[in-house]
Amino acid sequence: MTLAENKKAHFDYEILRTFEAGVALFGYEVKSIKTGRANLKGTYVILRGGEAYLINCDITPYQPKNTPKDYDPTRPRKLLLRKSELKELIGSSAKKGLTIVPLKMYTKQAKIKLEFGLCRGKKKHEKKEKLKKRDIERDIGKRL
């Protein structure tokens, strides 16, 4: 079941390869995500010290009065990956023009997983071309 999705990612980026990772969360964050209070807009993944972190993911408190005073809704969250996947990410993200962008957050066997992709940014003319194609297909659909 999809809990949060980065809809703009498919428009802004060409996704070369996707990965799946677990996310290290607190219990109250899990409850909040399962009620749909996670926002992946503007998030990204960084690699630091041989580990991957989800940056700028906004998870609003489940019960604001019961959350700790020092809770930061956009704190960096560690991604749980295999060593082989980390090595592959470190090697491929070093290439020029590639970024790691979260695509969606979902549940899998009662665990919260994050799907992210190794992406290359689209040029402005590619985005315009995609919009034109979508408009033409919409017009054809209306006529039929």
Side-chain angles (χ1 to χ4, degrees):
M1 181 172 102
T2 302
L3 303 169
E5 195 169 359
N6 189 352
K7 296 174 184 173
K8 199 89 164 135
H10 291 284
F11 181 73
D12 290 336
Y13 299 98
E14 175 189 349
I15 297 152
L16 305 175
R17 181 149 191 267
T18 59
F19 295 88
E20 178 185 74
V23 185
L25 299 166
F26 295 127
Y28 49 86
E29 289 178 326
V30 172
K31 285 182 178 181
S32 182
I33 290 171
K34 286 189 175 182
T35 58
R37 297 181 185 194
N39 185 6
L40 292 178
K41 187 176 180 182
T43 61
Y44 55 97
V45 175
I46 61 166
L47 302 167
R48 188 183 303 149
E51 295 178 339
Y53 292 94
L54 179 64
I55 305 295
N56 209 19
C57 177
D58 185 30
I59 300 174
T60 56
Y62 176 65
Q63 294 176 329
K65 292 181 181 177
N66 291 340
T67 50
K69 300 268 188 242
D70 60 342
Y71 175 64
D72 180 17
T74 59
R75 73 178 179 85
R77 292 166 178 90
K78 186 177 175 182
L79 297 180
L80 309 171
L81 290 162
R82 292 187 177 92
K83 286 183 182 179
S84 59
E85 291 175 326
L86 274 170
K87 286 179 184 176
E88 185 180 340
L89 278 171
I90 290 168
S92 56
S93 69
K95 294 178 184 172
K96 191 175 181 181
L98 296 182
T99 57
I100 306 170
V101 179
L103 303 174
K104 65 181 174 178
M105 198 176 274
Y106 57 93
T107 56
K108 183 177 180 181
Q109 298 176 351
K111 305 253 190 290
I112 293 180
K113 300 285 184 175
L114 178 78
E115 181 181 292
F116 59 94
L118 190 62
C119 306
R120 177 177 290 121
K122 287 184 181 177
K123 305 273 190 288
K124 199 170 191 175
H125 65 87
E126 292 173 328
K127 292 180 191 179
K128 285 182 180 181
E129 196 174 293
K130 188 172 183 176
L131 287 172
K132 284 180 186 177
K133 268 187 188 176
R134 190 169 49 192
D135 288 342
I136 290 169
E137 288 174 6
R138 189 179 301 136
D139 289 342
I140 291 170
K142 285 180 182 178
R143 290 180 187 167
L144 296 177

